[in-house]
Amino acid sequence: MQNPDASNNVRIEDVTARDSEIENDLEWMICPCCHQHNAPHANFCVACGAPISATAAIAPFERIFAEGFLLREAAFGKHTKLFTVIAVWLIFFPMMVSVIGLFILVPRLYWLDPGLLVGDIAMLFMLTWIALLLYRVTQNYIGQNQSPPDSPPPSD
């Protein structure tokens, strides 16, 4: 007589083989930025970090990754669009002006509160970071739009 539970026993090798067959049948997602093959369920590229799925920026934590990728591409990428430059300036320039305004308007009484010195150092760090980001994004856009000469000058 057969054991009724024998038919319900599943070997781990069978499950792994079935999973690998399913995985091989699925189509791989290709990153639009670097053309890297990614798993079908991936939201971000494993090579460059670009969002690759339609739902990559829905969750708040994933939205931070998507925005970070956009800023990295704008500052250090090779193909910055005018729209991206304008968007970065519209977001960060008012922030820079407000940091400068806070730095000028807040009275400096370090002997009363040493925490103000720490706040000023943080504001200077933020101001430097924003200024460098705006400079890099603008320089990247201007640098890619300057076309090199078509041909070298003729040699005599």
Side-chain angles (χ1 to χ4, degrees):
M1 186 164 160
Q2 289 185 354
N3 186 359
D5 294 333
S7 62
N8 292 335
N9 291 341
V10 178
R11 294 186 332 188
I12 295 176
E13 295 85 16
D14 295 338
V15 172
T16 348
R18 186 188 70 214
D19 287 347
S20 65
E21 288 174 11
I22 292 172
E23 205 170 282
N24 289 337
D25 290 342
L26 295 175
E27 294 183 17
W28 290 90
M29 294 183 72
I30 297 177
C31 175
C33 294
C34 68
H35 305 291
Q36 171 73 27
H37 291 278
N38 294 284
H41 60 278
N43 286 332
F44 294 93
C45 177
V46 294
C48 67
I52 56 175
S53 71
T55 61
I58 291 178
F61 193 64
E62 292 172 338
R63 183 176 295 170
I64 293 171
F65 287 130
E67 290 170 0
F69 174 77
L70 175 67
L71 287 176
R72 282 190 306 275
E73 279 296 309
F76 302 110
K78 295 181 178 156
H79 306 290
T80 303
K81 296 181 173 97
L82 179 62
F83 176 77
T84 307
V85 175
I86 292 171
V88 168
W89 271 88
L90 284 175
I91 292 169
F92 287 101
F93 186 72
M95 201 182 301
M96 186 171 78
V97 170
S98 65
V99 168
I100 291 172
L102 281 173
F103 194 74
I104 292 172
L105 296 176
V106 172
R108 305 288 178 249
L109 302 173
Y110 297 122
W111 60 88
L112 293 176
D113 187 10
L116 286 175
L117 181 62
V118 175
D120 283 349
I121 292 171
M123 281 196 292
L124 286 174
F125 177 76
M126 184 184 296
L127 183 65
T128 305
W129 183 84
I130 291 171
L132 285 174
L133 178 69
L134 292 175
Y135 171 76
R136 286 289 303 189
V137 169
T138 307
Q139 186 65 28
N140 188 16
Y141 178 73
I142 291 171
Q144 81 178 11
N145 287 334
Q146 292 177 349
S147 59
D150 291 338
S151 61
S155 59
D156 292 328

